[in-house]
Amino acid sequence: MPKVKEATLDDLMKEPGKAELVGGEIVRMPPTGFLPGFAAMRILFSLHEYALAHRNGYAVGDNVGFAVDLPGRKSFSPDAAYYVGPHSGMKFLEGAPVFAVEVRSDGDYGKKAEQEMAQKRADYFAAGTLVVWDVDMLGVEVVRVYRASDPQPPDHIPPGGCGRGRACPCRGGGCRWRICFLTTFRAKAVMPDLQTASGE
């Protein structure tokens, strides 16, 4: 039986919708619902404000490809991200983002989905990502924060976020980036200092 030719990044560039290159195959991702899309948008807006203020990287939105070179994965396409490398014009960005956001859609629940998300987080960390957010609009915690330095167990950002009387997910404070998910989910989220991640 002839060996099936593996898909390439060039093939991925021709895909009409959102997809990633995993295990030599193009893995397509269906459109999402309102709440996941709204969450990703709010996170992206806050990242963009941070990028404008600090000028140490780029806030990157949904459906942008990041080219990586892992044994079982050649790209990522997070729902939102922060990237500190050079921009790539019309091509995929080279390398993984320092911060990646994966917002759960309606189909991202159950044992199989959890296994796939755990593997993807491991891939992110292997490629150089420092922090991954698992945003769960149906969950009690809302955001699970995974770090390459300590991927298990995650920190949690509950509704109400981190404020007086609450433990700060940044471990020791020093948070420089906060976002408010507005009235739809009434939560504040915090991530580690992006200036440190960008080498400033």
Side-chain angles (χ1 to χ4, degrees):
M1 184 175 179
K3 184 178 180 181
V4 177
K5 182 182 177 182
E6 292 190 352
T8 66
L9 289 173
D10 288 337
D11 296 325
L12 185 62
M13 281 287 293
K14 299 172 185 176
E15 273 295 305
K18 183 174 179 177
E20 295 178 339
L21 186 54
V22 184
E25 298 181 353
I26 292 176
V27 179
R28 297 172 180 85
M29 302 177 182
T32 192
F34 168 72
L35 278 180
F38 187 77
M41 178 192 70
R42 286 297 303 157
I43 293 169
L44 177 62
F45 281 4
S46 183
L47 283 171
H48 180 60
E49 291 173 353
Y50 178 92
L52 290 176
H54 295 274
R55 300 185 181 279
N56 59 6
Y58 299 96
V60 182
D62 191 21
N63 202 29
V64 175
F66 293 81
V68 297
D69 189 17
L70 298 177
R73 177 184 287 273
K74 301 304 177 186
S75 80
F76 293 104
S77 186
D79 296 309
Y82 201 81
Y83 181 75
V84 297
H87 78 73
S88 55
M90 302 296 285
K91 302 297 184 181
F92 293 143
L93 291 166
E94 290 290 337
V98 294
F99 170 62
V101 177
E102 294 288 339
V103 184
R104 294 185 184 225
S105 295
D106 197 42
D108 292 331
Y109 295 89
K111 183 177 180 180
K112 184 174 184 292
E114 294 293 343
Q115 291 173 341
E116 290 174 348
M117 286 185 286
Q119 180 59 58
K120 189 170 186 178
R121 286 192 298 271
D123 288 348
Y124 270 123
F125 296 143
T129 300
L130 301 180
V131 180
V132 177
W133 274 12
D134 172 7
V135 181
D136 182 358
M137 300 308 300
L138 300 181
V140 175
E141 290 86 10
V142 182
V143 179
R144 299 176 186 88
V145 182
Y146 294 86
R147 296 185 175 87
S149 59
D150 185 18
Q152 295 290 345
D155 285 325
H156 297 92
I157 302 176
C162 137
R164 292 186 179 180
R166 295 183 182 273
C168 176
C170 290
R171 293 181 181 167
C175 304
R176 295 179 185 233
W177 181 59
R178 296 169 182 261
I179 65 170
C180 177
F181 288 108
L182 298 181
T183 56
T184 304
F185 10 137
R186 300 178 185 276
K188 287 183 180 179
V190 191
M191 73 163 289
D193 190 349
L194 281 173
Q195 286 184 321
T196 299
S198 61
E200 285 195 352

